[in-house]
């Protein structure tokens, strides 16, 4: 895996655009189309907003983001926080609603993340490289193989 970005910023709304922009730029560096990069940008924005609003809920803290990729295989965004963990609802893995009338209150961001990325995995209370206990969200987008010339 090639590391494209490492970033640690305060978990505040005024930093969300920085996380999202860095993810979008890294996705383009990894060879994604504009549309694919925008999906990654949206997923990172949603995930970081959830951390700010729900994990920290007004308390100070940081978000660590690492972006890496394996050429022609996978693009991976990892987010770490020390906020409050949550239980991922079972319905977050279900088929998206067919109409706005079927949308449940809350949790739409989880569905957006799952639609934008190939895989999203939440882990809580895991050990970080620096010894902290953190929440870790690993979002992966499978990359198309490079066509032979």
């Amino acid at each position: 895996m090639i590391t494209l970005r490492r970033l640690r910023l305060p978990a505040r709304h005024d930093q969300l655009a920085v996380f999202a922009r860095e993810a979008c730029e890294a996705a383009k560096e990894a060879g994604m189309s504009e549309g694919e990069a925008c999906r990654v940008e949206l997923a990172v924005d949603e995930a970081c907003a959830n951390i700010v609003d729900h994990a920290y809920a007004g308390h100070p803290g940081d978000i660590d983001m690492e972006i890496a990729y394996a050429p022609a295989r996978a693009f991976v965004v990892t987010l770490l926080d020390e906020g409050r963990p949550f239980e991922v609802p079972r319905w977050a893995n279900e088929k998206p609603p067919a109409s706005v009338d079927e949308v449940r209150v809350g949790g739409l961001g989880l569905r957006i993340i799952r639609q934008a990325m190939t895989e999203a995995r939440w882990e809580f209370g895991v050990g970080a490289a620096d010894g902290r206990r953190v929440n870790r969200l690993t979002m992966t987008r499978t990359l198309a193989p490079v066509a032979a010339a």
Side-chain angles (χ1 to χ4, degrees):
M1 292 289 266
I2 300 166
T3 301
L4 296 174
R5 301 276 193 288
R6 278 197 178 102
L7 186 63
R8 174 181 236 172
L9 293 171
R12 297 191 323 241
H13 287 109
D14 64 349
Q15 300 300 315
L16 296 178
V18 178
F19 285 110
R21 182 179 58 247
E22 291 293 323
C24 183
E25 289 174 9
K28 290 176 186 175
E29 286 174 29
M32 287 188 206
S33 69
E34 183 74 28
E36 290 172 316
C38 286
R39 287 181 194 88
V40 168
E41 180 180 31
L42 179 60
V44 168
D45 185 68
E46 281 294 328
C48 289
N50 282 344
I51 292 168
V52 170
D53 292 340
H54 303 294
Y56 287 115
H59 294 90
D62 294 320
I63 300 172
D64 294 315
M65 179 172 73
E66 180 175 294
I67 301 173
Y69 87 114
R73 290 192 321 200
F75 180 86
V76 180
V77 178
T78 304
L79 300 173
L80 304 178
D81 72 81
E82 294 180 88
R84 216 176 40 205
F86 73 102
E87 186 173 329
V88 180
R90 255 185 267 146
W91 56 261
N93 294 318
E94 296 172 359
K95 186 178 97 176
S99 74
V100 74
D101 296 329
E102 295 177 15
V103 174
R104 298 175 190 206
V105 175
L108 188 58
L110 300 179
R111 284 222 166 103
I112 289 170
I113 291 166
R114 290 211 186 268
Q115 288 294 308
M117 305 301 280
T118 308
E119 178 185 8
R121 187 176 69 247
W122 286 267
E123 301 167 283
F124 304 100
V126 297
D130 60 6
R132 294 178 296 149
R133 300 304 284 174
V134 297
N135 303 316
R136 178 171 53 212
L137 169 57
T138 306
M139 299 181 288
T140 304
R141 186 163 175 92
T142 303
L143 299 176
V146 177

